[in-house]
Amino acid sequence: RPDPERHGALRMTDEALPILKGEASIRLRRDSIKAASKFSPSVKALVSEEDAPLLSALKAKRRGLAETARVPAYIVFNDKTLIEMAQVRPKTLDDMARIGGVGAKKLDTYGAAFLEVINGEVETLHPARRKLAGRDSGTLYDRLLEVQADLARGGEGHDKPLSCSASLLAKVAAQKPQNEMAIERILGERRSERFGRAFLDVLREAS
């Protein structure tokens, strides 16, 4: 029992004497709950041997970016996100946007840096297109860009070169106008005359 005169130290009672003399025995309860491990599994153990080197490289990039920004590493991306990157190996910002934990802001801030680690090169996208990464509007933008290239010198290829800015293409892709009047409000009369109908065909095919 605790002995208050000895600051809570234990002292033997009369009931303990037979046990100490070997004249009686006691049975102790066996714990049914195992103690929790002090060590969590290594992150590398959660990926294949093939993906482990890439995961290490991604963690190194994360550490460098975190130190530069003076924030904890998990603020950049958590381990689960890096593991998925190492396993999926996204090739474009559109692919990267589909990784869990990669929102629009982090994609814009860190996406290109991590793609460079994964693929060894940087995907160059106009900022207006980058904002559409991972969304249907991004695919529409790419298709509109192709159509614009085909019509840059008109249907016959003899007209004066004309094009739409990246922001205009992004606006068309995001707003998805459904008629010539709506698309003219975005592009203006001259560009709408050159590209309007073709752009509307792209939008209708995608709907």
Side-chain angles (χ1 to χ4, degrees), residues 1-13:
R1 293 287 184 269
D3 188 345
E5 295 181 359
R6 298 174 59 195
H7 306 286
L10 299 179
R11 65 178 177 81
M12 298 297 178
T13 64

Side-chain angles (χ1 to χ4, degrees), residues 27 39 143 147:
R27 297 182 63 184
F39 303 99
R143 182 69 184 115
V147 169

